Amino acid sequence: MRPGSRRDTRIVCAIYIEREAGLPSVFKAAARSVALLWERLFVEQEKKGNVAALLPIGVFLLLYLGLGIVFEYAMGISMGFYNIPIVVVFLIALLVACLQNRALSFDDKLAVMGKGIGDKTIVTMVLIFMAAGIFVGVVGRDSAESVAYFLLSVIPAEYAVAVLFVVSCFVSVAMGTSVGTITLITPIAVAVSSASGFDMPLCIASVMGGAMFGDNLSFISDTTIAACQGQGCKMQDKFRENFKIALPAALVTLILILALSMGADLNGSISHDYDLIQLIPYVIVLVGGIVGINVFVVLLLGIVSGSIVMIATGATPATDLLANMGSGAAGMFETTMVAVLVSAICALIREHGGFIALLNGIKSLFKSRKGGMLGMGLLVGAMDIATANNTVAIVMANPIASQMARTYDISRRKTASLLDTFSCVFQGVIPYGAQMLVAISAAAELGFSVSAFQIMPLLFYPFLLLASSLVFIFLVPDTRGFDADGERE
């Protein structure tokens, strides 16, 4: 029988042999020795964990990263990483996890998976994903363009690139999607570059930086939802933790953009119609989230107010409203399925001792509490480099980071903040990420050619966000520790 399986049964049997069987004392001593031996073997195995249990993660990374590189660079397929069905790859990884740990029957493994999927945090995460999708489906994206054109019309032309950065920050916080923000604002950035003479890579990089600012802070962002629910912290607590780190990086970025803008030779301006009343639902969601209203209530208020505004302004016919809600919720299908599959895989890996092995490896590299924080950041960063998706990276890193938080005595809000921040840092600069690919594609559709390597050196915000994160980890004191029943203030 494998050490560590049915531990309680073995100990109880040994005690029964000693007390009830009426054996000579020498056999009683032997029974006690057997029980102690099994106990020692169990504890020893529990301490070491099981590295082989991490195989499903390795299979996923190998398939997804390997196929992505082949599709994108060997075969030249546009958006190659995003042509791979990530749900199918996770199903393969789940199959591998099911084939491991023969000490458990398949029915027992189903029970383990069911417990993982049925966890309160996972159920809450899925429901929030759906509600956020419905909200985005209702309000649409016209108001984002209205904000951009409004600011460009009232602010002098020499500050146009700075306006693009600020607008992207605001829009991404309101919409909760960096890719959506880049899709909307990049064509405006291209128009600003063409009309005014500003360097196009700088304009696009400014949009991308602002988009990642909002992705890191928005209350309806996939990354915020995943990080907060995975770590069991309130969204406003995580927002406050993140804001302290993100604001200095954003301000320095704005200064750098303004400095580079001053020497530009301007030759034109840009104008467009706008309607700011459609901004009201976004403001309601943003203010409600900061104040601390329950996220479901906030999203419900956003959906109701958005429905009223969109119908009243004629932006959406009443007959199309339900269809838009459905398409918005459907847009969250893949993200929801990833959360479900990852929770099932992680439950099996945890049961097989994989997380203990991984945690022991991290502990051997990072001894101190500050080192543990850095380890969390590098963990989610590595996941993001491998998956090119910061939400998936956070969902995968969540259970490991939760154990690290207990081990290193790191607060829930700090853990959620680190996961979201570092994932946005890496996602914001990798050349094969959706953000970069969408920006380049948007420029190409308008007849302009720009490469990722022209944009990357001008991505000031993600690099400064990394620097700000390291400052807050190593130089700014943080005495708030982890508590299994909540946070110690």
Side-chain angles (χ1 to χ4, degrees):
M1 187 177 291
R2 185 178 64 84
S5 65
R6 300 188 179 89
R7 166 194 173 198
D8 294 336
T9 302
R10 283 196 300 271
I11 296 174
V12 168
C13 287
I15 295 172
Y16 177 80
I17 290 172
E18 176 185 350
R19 292 183 177 178
E20 304 295 337
L23 295 174
S25 58
V26 64
F27 291 109
K28 292 181 181 181
R32 285 195 298 270
S33 299
V34 168
L36 291 173
L37 177 61
W38 278 115
E39 176 73 5
R40 189 176 303 167
L41 288 172
F42 176 84
V43 172
E44 189 65 25
Q45 184 187 38
E46 189 176 55
K47 286 181 179 178
K48 291 182 179 180
N50 185 3
V51 176
L54 298 171
L55 180 62
I57 296 177
V59 169
F60 168 80
L61 296 179
L62 179 64
L63 287 176
Y64 191 78
L65 183 60
L67 288 174
I69 292 173
V70 171
F71 282 16
E72 185 78 32
Y73 301 107
M75 300 176 66
I77 298 175
S78 177
M79 301 284 285
F81 274 87
Y82 299 91
N83 283 326
I84 302 170
I86 192 169
V87 171
V88 174
V89 180
F90 269 122
L91 281 171
I92 295 172
L94 180 60
L95 175 61
V96 173
C98 287
L99 293 176
Q100 291 185 302
N101 196 4
R102 295 183 180 179
L104 290 179
S105 68
F106 184 67
D107 283 344
D108 290 337
K109 290 173 183 175
L110 287 175
V112 170
M113 286 188 279
K115 186 177 179 181
I117 295 171
D119 186 88
K120 177 185 174 182
T121 60
I122 301 299
V123 174
T124 305
M125 189 188 305
V126 168
L127 292 176
I128 294 175
F129 281 150
M130 293 293 102
I134 292 172
F135 172 72
V136 173
V138 166
V139 297
R141 298 176 176 180
D142 291 340
S143 58
E145 292 184 354
S146 294
V147 173
Y149 287 121
F150 167 72
L151 290 177
L152 287 169
S153 68
V154 299
I155 294 178
E158 57 265 30
Y159 303 118
V161 182
V163 168
L164 287 173
F165 175 72
V166 173
V167 166
S168 298
C169 289
F170 180 82
V171 169
S172 56
V173 168
M175 293 178 61
T177 166
S178 57
V179 174
T181 300
I182 292 168
T183 301
L184 286 173
I185 309 299
T186 297
I188 301 174
V190 171
V192 168
S193 176
S194 301
S196 64
F198 281 114
D199 184 48
M200 188 170 296
L202 175 62
C203 291
I204 294 176
S206 299
V207 172
M208 291 182 62
M212 297 315 297
F213 173 88
D215 199 14
N216 184 221
L217 291 175
S218 175
F219 286 89
I220 58 173
S221 167
D222 294 355
T223 58
T224 295
I225 296 168
C228 290
Q229 294 304 314
Q231 299 307 316
C233 77
K234 296 179 180 178
M235 287 191 177
Q236 67 266 30
D237 290 340
K238 181 260 185 188
F239 175 86
R240 292 167 187 151
E241 196 74 36
N242 268 22
F243 191 73
K244 294 184 295 185
I245 301 171
L247 183 61
L251 292 176
V252 176
T253 298
L254 189 59
I255 292 170
L256 288 174
I257 291 173
L258 288 171
L260 291 174
S261 300
M262 293 306 174
D265 184 18
L266 305 182
N267 53 28
S269 60
I270 185 170
S271 62
H272 198 280
D273 295 334
Y274 53 84
D275 184 1
L276 290 180
I277 194 173
Q278 296 178 13
L279 192 63
I280 293 174
Y282 289 120
V283 173
I284 290 174
V285 169
L286 180 61
V287 173
I290 294 174
V291 171
I293 301 174
N294 181 278
V295 64
F296 290 110
V297 176
V298 169
L299 288 172
L300 181 60
L301 290 173
I303 292 168
V304 172
S305 62
S307 301
I308 295 172
V309 168
M310 300 306 284
I311 293 176
T313 59
T316 301
T319 53
D320 293 344
L321 192 62
L322 283 176
N324 291 346
M325 289 182 181
S327 61
M332 287 291 189
F333 171 78
E334 184 174 88
T335 303
T336 300
M337 287 308 303
V338 165
V340 170
L341 291 173
V342 169
S343 62
I345 293 169
C346 289
L348 291 174
I349 292 174
R350 183 187 294 109
E351 181 72 16
H352 201 24
F355 286 164
I356 295 173
L358 184 58
L359 184 59
N360 288 340
I362 292 172
K363 286 166 62 178
S364 67
L365 293 174
F366 303 101
K367 307 293 185 182
S368 67
R369 185 168 181 265
K370 295 181 184 293
M373 294 182 189
L374 178 61
M376 283 182 183
L378 295 179
L379 171 69
V380 75
M383 296 289 190
D384 186 80
I385 290 172
T387 62
N389 187 310
N390 46 347
T391 304
V392 174
I394 291 172
V395 172
M396 292 179 68
N398 258 332
I400 305 167
S402 183
Q403 291 193 15
M404 291 177 67
R406 290 179 174 85
T407 300
Y408 291 99
D409 195 28
I410 302 169
S411 67
R412 299 170 187 268
R413 67 180 71 180
K414 175 64 91 174
T415 302
S417 173
L418 289 170
L419 292 178
D420 201 349
T421 300
F422 273 84
S423 71
C424 284
V425 166
F426 285 90
Q427 186 68 23
V429 298
I430 55 176
Y432 52 89
Q435 288 77 3
M436 181 70 76
L437 296 176
V438 165
I440 294 172
S441 298
E445 288 175 4
L446 296 171
F448 296 92
S449 177
V450 61
S451 74
F453 297 101
Q454 290 176 294
I455 297 172
M456 287 172 68
L458 301 171
L459 291 168
F460 305 129
Y461 178 73
F463 294 123
L464 288 168
L465 182 62
L466 174 61
S468 181
S469 300
L470 295 176
V471 167
F472 272 84
I473 287 175
F474 291 104
L475 299 180
V476 178
D478 181 11
T479 58
R480 187 181 289 110
F482 181 89
D483 189 325
D485 297 323
E487 291 188 322
R488 298 195 299 263
E489 298 297 336

